[in-house]
Amino acid sequence: MRTVALLCLILIGPTGCISASPGEESAPNKLRILLTNDDGYRSPGIREVRAALEGAGHDVTLVAPLDNRSGSGSSSTTGGTLELREQGPRTWSVGGTPADAVRVGLGVVLEDRPPDLVVSGANFGQNIGPATLLSGTVGAALTAMQLGYPAIAISVGIDPSELGAEPRFASTLSAFGDAAAFVARTIAMLQDASGASGALLPDHSVLNINYPARRADAVTGVVWANIGRSASFEVGFERSDSDTVRLAFGSSEVQETVEGADTTLFDAGYVTLTLLDGDLRAPVGLSDDVGRRLGDIAP
């Protein structure tokens, strides 16, 4: 094991600072994949995805946060140093956010061997509706996209009723293997369809996959979806004592208004697919409406 302090956090380390094992030339169907997540490099979801990708013959390098950094979106560390530790063969932990892990993976660990694809997950919990923007899993994939790499985010749902059970979220744990196999099949289909261009996904896009916490034979189907506005449940805070608050789960009271929403379809047992491009602009009609309200606004 070794620990390396990264200075300046532009994360383009000095030449030869760290490099992955050289490996052999890739076979035609073998991809170099950077695997990350927001639950930490030891999480069961990322282990299952790694096993499925390596089982499909891909060259996988895992670079993920040292600890659970869920809900961090695309946030990045902007000062000081980060700890980068080699935890095993082609396995690295980063003392930062999921977006940090992607930047370290691309700019340092795989500096001399850029990947063909970045995969983020499998996350412990669905990233649909409003949670899409908050998700560190999706944020890591969006960071890779912004740096010019095709990326896939994969999340597996949780059932809030299993929060107090032992083991916690047993149905999620049981579904990780099937979700990982689904990712491997998805990548194989993208490879088959890429043709002469070799592009796995359209430029500047992320494929966001959400897999329900069900047995494979109980999944309703696979469907393309729009990002909804409701949520299966809400995460908030409640007062613990006079000086602290604690995490609290509650039922959502927001009614879904988006047609073909991922929230509705996911709750019905579908695997939902959504293509993201990182563009947060409102539709033209809404922008025009606000423009009329502002009129001839001057600086």
Side-chain angles (χ1 to χ4, degrees):
M1 305 293 182
R2 54 179 166 159
T3 301
V4 179
L6 302 178
L7 304 177
C8 184
L9 293 183
I10 299 175
L11 300 179
I12 307 298
T15 302
C17 175
I18 303 171
S19 62
S21 301
E24 299 177 356
E25 289 297 317
S26 294
N29 64 339
K30 181 179 181 179
L31 297 176
R32 287 193 299 273
I33 296 177
L34 171 62
L35 178 62
T36 192
N37 72 350
D38 71 357
D39 291 327
Y41 79 97
R42 293 166 291 192
S43 71
I46 202 170
R47 289 199 304 267
E48 291 284 0
V49 172
R50 181 176 205 166
L53 296 179
E54 291 181 338
H58 300 302
D59 175 358
V60 179
T61 300
L62 190 157
V63 184
L66 175 64
D67 300 306
N68 189 326
R69 299 299 295 265
S70 296
S72 52
S74 298
S75 64
S76 297
T77 305
T78 57
T81 65
L82 293 179
E83 180 185 79
L84 173 62
R85 182 179 291 271
E86 187 174 11
Q87 300 288 357
R90 299 186 182 226
T91 302
W92 304 80
S93 66
V94 176
T97 68
D100 290 333
V102 169
R103 293 180 184 276
V104 171
L106 296 174
V108 180
V109 177
L110 294 177
E111 180 182 13
D112 299 323
R113 298 178 67 247
D116 303 298
L117 175 69
V118 175
V119 176
S120 181
N123 186 63
F124 221 116
Q126 59 266 41
N127 284 307
I128 55 178
T132 306
L133 189 61
L134 300 176
S135 165
T137 301
V138 176
L142 290 172
T143 298
M145 177 203 72
Q146 296 288 356
L147 295 173
Y149 293 85
I152 295 174
I154 170 68
S155 304
V156 178
I158 59 173
D159 179 351
S161 69
E162 297 179 343
L163 177 62
E166 287 296 335
R168 293 176 65 190
F169 304 118
S171 58
T172 303
L173 293 170
S174 297
F176 274 139
D178 290 333
F182 181 85
V183 172
R185 292 197 303 273
T186 299
I187 292 171
M189 293 181 69
L190 291 173
Q191 286 182 275
D192 289 342
S194 61
S197 71
L200 294 174
L201 290 169
D203 185 45
H204 209 74
S205 66
V206 166
L207 179 60
N208 186 31
I209 303 173
N210 283 276
Y211 196 99
R214 299 184 175 201
R215 301 186 317 274
D217 61 3
V219 171
T220 307
V222 181
V223 64
W224 286 96
N226 298 313
I227 296 178
R229 295 177 181 168
S230 68
S232 303
F233 57 91
E234 292 182 345
V235 178
F237 292 90
E238 61 186 14
R239 187 174 294 280
S240 177
D241 56 41
S242 60
D243 298 317
T244 62
V245 294
R246 62 188 171 205
L247 190 67
F249 289 87
S251 59
S252 173
E253 297 181 359
V254 177
Q255 297 299 309
E256 188 56 78
T257 59
V258 175
E259 184 177 355
D262 54 1
T263 51
T264 305
L265 293 165
F266 185 83
D267 286 346
Y270 286 93
V271 177
T272 63
L273 309 178
T274 306
L275 197 65
L276 311 176
D277 64 1
D279 187 350
L280 299 178
R281 292 178 300 176
V284 173
L286 291 180
S287 298
D288 290 345
D289 177 56
V290 174
R292 286 191 294 271
R293 298 183 189 198
L294 293 176
D296 297 326
I297 187 171

